[in-house]
Amino acid sequence: MMNRRTFLYGATALSGAMILPISGGAAPDSRPFSYEALVDRAREMSQRSYVPPLRPAPEVVDQIDYARHGELVFRTDRAMFSGQPGTGAEKGYPLEFFPLGKYATKRVRMFVVDNGRASEVLYTPDLFDMPADNPARQLPSNAGFAGFRLQEWYAEADWNRQDWVAFQGASYFRAIGADGQYGLSARGILIDAAVAGLPEEFPDFREFYIEQQPGAAPDTPVTICALLDGLSVTGAYRFRITRGLDRSKGVIMEIEARVFLRKSVSRLGLIPLTSMFWYGEYGKGRMQDWRPEVHDSDGLAMWAGSGERIWRPLNNPDQTSVSAFGDENPHGFGLLQRDRNFDHYLDGVFYDRRPSLWVEPIKPLGRGSVQLLEIPTDDEIHDNIGAFWVPEAPVEKGNSYDLHYRLYWQSDEPFPATNIAQTVATRIGRGGQPGHPRPADVYHFAVEFDRPSVLTKLPYGVFPEVVVSASRGEISRLFAEPVPNGNVWRGNFDLKLAPGELADLRMYLALDGEPLTETWLYQFQS
């Protein structure tokens, strides 16, 4: 997993230089481009030895530390697709580039595609406002960039930048949601995360090919193709990204990818999502900071192939943990931020506005498991959560994977169940009978569910059944109760668990044997 601050700041070459003058005019050199040709190239690269990406002028790049990097501001008058005089492009989503720096040292090549031909954009210092003494002025013309971002639709002469999607660092990318905030990230591939004795591998998007349709409407997708390369894997990706002017829809990405294995790997994570969870309304972290909750996501939601809806609250564990949820052709999964109450965070960085990210497989995924990676953290600057799909079959050299899926960067999952209630809170405290001595090895769980159209139909005086199971320990004191002043029902139970033991818990509310809620899963250590 990657340090969040590094990500925020932080190739197999085509023969011949391709230079696209940002000031406009015909490119002196361009060549045919297609996604299909990129797939062929990735397949051919997988048959050859890995060549690490170029790290231009390391003695210069090392001087561009956090402070000096912050001095490099992309000039709005040089942004392509801004419709501004001299940029040589129609209005669209203005394109800006991230420069190299101490925390983003690898060259990433950028190409703009027009009518099936690709032309390269080269680094020049005049693309940025920078002090005369900034070391970035010493970078060579073939330095490339660290990544790129797209700004909101250019509409007025006084265009003001507000980016909504960014690609930077390894194969990481992210987008804002309906509330205009960045939060969690996605990436192209995950290799050997949390495998004992093996370092995690971070393949890179080495080249990007960016295409916008001249004069198109704001809801026309931006097409971005990317070449992936790493020690164990190569790949070609095509993103069709839709923003539009209706901000309530967030950002939707339709992604096709062909992935080829150079080497066998122990854990292949397809469609990986990456987030941060320090603590919520439960957990030990509540005493480490003054804020009530600190997280970009609060749970993993799954819509199983069987139709079951599952909610797994996130943990900040004492040691790295990987949970696997076996499935066949799931309808979707995602890391969500369900708690949208500012008073539950009290933080000006607006954790209540962070996007949820939902995966919708368009091509069936087959047999495998959604896996949840949870890594201990003592601060909010680290991405310590991962969710991804792992195929059931062994991942061996020569394997290839054909993926087609959508990512929804929105406030909630795009296809919520309408016939069952959602989990809205998980609360944990001391167990035992009130008014009596509380035993040290008994814990009380109170899980709240909300969906007025379902739970308010219960006849007066009728209480749901609390259906609970645990892999370890003893369950007692099961009861359901309505929460005053709302449409929320709470399922309660006690768990007796020996010190240091780990239990996997499963619970839902039912009436006459039929589920009223999604299935709540939790991993608890005493």
Side-chain angles (χ1 to χ4, degrees), residues 9-10 69 98-101 104-108 110 144-148 167-169 208:
Y9 302 103
H69 196 274
F98 294 111
L100 297 177
T105 62
K106 302 174 185 177
R107 180 183 74 165
V108 181
M110 301 291 172
F145 301 94
F148 72 93
F167 288 73
Q168 184 183 19
F208 287 103

Side-chain angles (χ1 to χ4, degrees), residues 387-398:
F388 40 88
W389 177 257
V390 176
E392 181 180 76
V395 181
E396 299 175 340
K397 176 181 177 180

Side-chain angles (χ1 to χ4, degrees), residues 484-500:
N485 302 320
N487 297 303
V488 176
W489 276 81
R490 183 182 294 139
N492 296 270
F493 66 92
D494 278 5
L495 173 70
K496 182 177 182 180
L497 192 66

Side-chain angles (χ1 to χ4, degrees), residues 13-21 27-33 41 109-113 117-123 141-142 145 207-209:
L14 287 170
S15 60
M18 300 183 186
I19 304 173
L20 181 65
D29 189 14
S30 66
R31 62 183 57 201
F33 172 79
R41 188 161 156 233
R109 301 179 71 183
M110 301 291 172
F111 299 83
V112 173
V113 178
R117 299 191 69 83
S119 302
E120 187 169 8
V121 182
L122 297 184
Y123 168 83
S141 60
N142 69 340
F145 301 94
E207 298 174 8
F208 287 103
Y209 298 82

Side-chain angles (χ1 to χ4, degrees), residues 8-236:
L8 290 173
Y9 302 103
T12 300
L14 287 170
S15 60
M18 300 183 186
I19 304 173
L20 181 65
I22 299 297
S23 58
D29 189 14
S30 66
R31 62 183 57 201
F33 172 79
S34 70
Y35 171 66
E36 293 72 21
L38 195 67
V39 170
D40 291 341
R41 188 161 156 233
R43 182 187 295 108
E44 189 274 331
M45 287 168 55
S46 71
Q47 305 301 313
R48 295 187 275 111
S49 299
Y50 173 67
V51 178
L54 178 67
R55 297 176 185 263
E59 71 287 350
V60 175
V61 171
D62 189 62
Q63 300 175 52
I64 309 174
D65 59 15
Y66 179 85
R68 302 314 300 264
H69 196 274
E71 296 174 350
L72 307 176
V73 180
F74 198 93
R75 292 174 52 184
T76 58
D77 63 336
R78 306 302 298 275
M80 301 186 68
F81 306 108
S82 66
Q84 298 186 78
T87 60
E90 298 280 351
K91 292 181 181 181
Y93 293 105
L95 171 63
E96 297 188 354
F97 301 103
F98 294 111
L100 297 177
K102 187 172 184 177
Y103 304 106
T105 62
K106 302 174 185 177
R107 180 183 74 165
V108 181
R109 301 179 71 183
M110 301 291 172
F111 299 83
V112 173
V113 178
D114 182 28
N115 290 321
R117 299 191 69 83
S119 302
E120 187 169 8
V121 182
L122 297 184
Y123 168 83
T124 59
D126 61 356
L127 292 176
F128 300 87
D129 286 327
M130 67 175 74
D133 64 345
N134 192 288
R137 292 187 177 275
Q138 303 172 37
L139 290 172
S141 60
N142 69 340
F145 301 94
F148 72 93
R149 59 185 175 181
L150 293 174
Q151 303 290 345
E152 293 287 25
W153 187 263
Y154 173 83
E156 304 293 340
D158 61 347
W159 163 60
N160 186 27
R161 55 162 53 97
Q162 168 60 60
D163 54 313
W164 57 274
V165 66
F167 288 73
Q168 184 183 19
S171 66
Y172 283 82
F173 57 96
R174 59 182 186 154
I176 64 176
D179 295 315
Q181 288 281 318
Y182 281 121
L184 78 171
S185 306
R187 46 176 161 160
I189 203 80
L190 177 145
I191 303 289
D192 287 343
V195 175
L198 292 178
E200 182 174 358
E201 181 183 332
F202 292 91
D204 297 292
F205 282 144
R206 301 272 286 260
E207 298 174 8
F208 287 103
Y209 298 82
I210 305 162
E211 181 176 11
Q212 296 194 52
Q213 298 298 325
D219 59 355
T220 302
V222 177
T223 300
I224 297 165
C225 294
L227 178 68
L228 180 82
D229 193 21
L231 184 64
S232 302
V233 64
T234 66

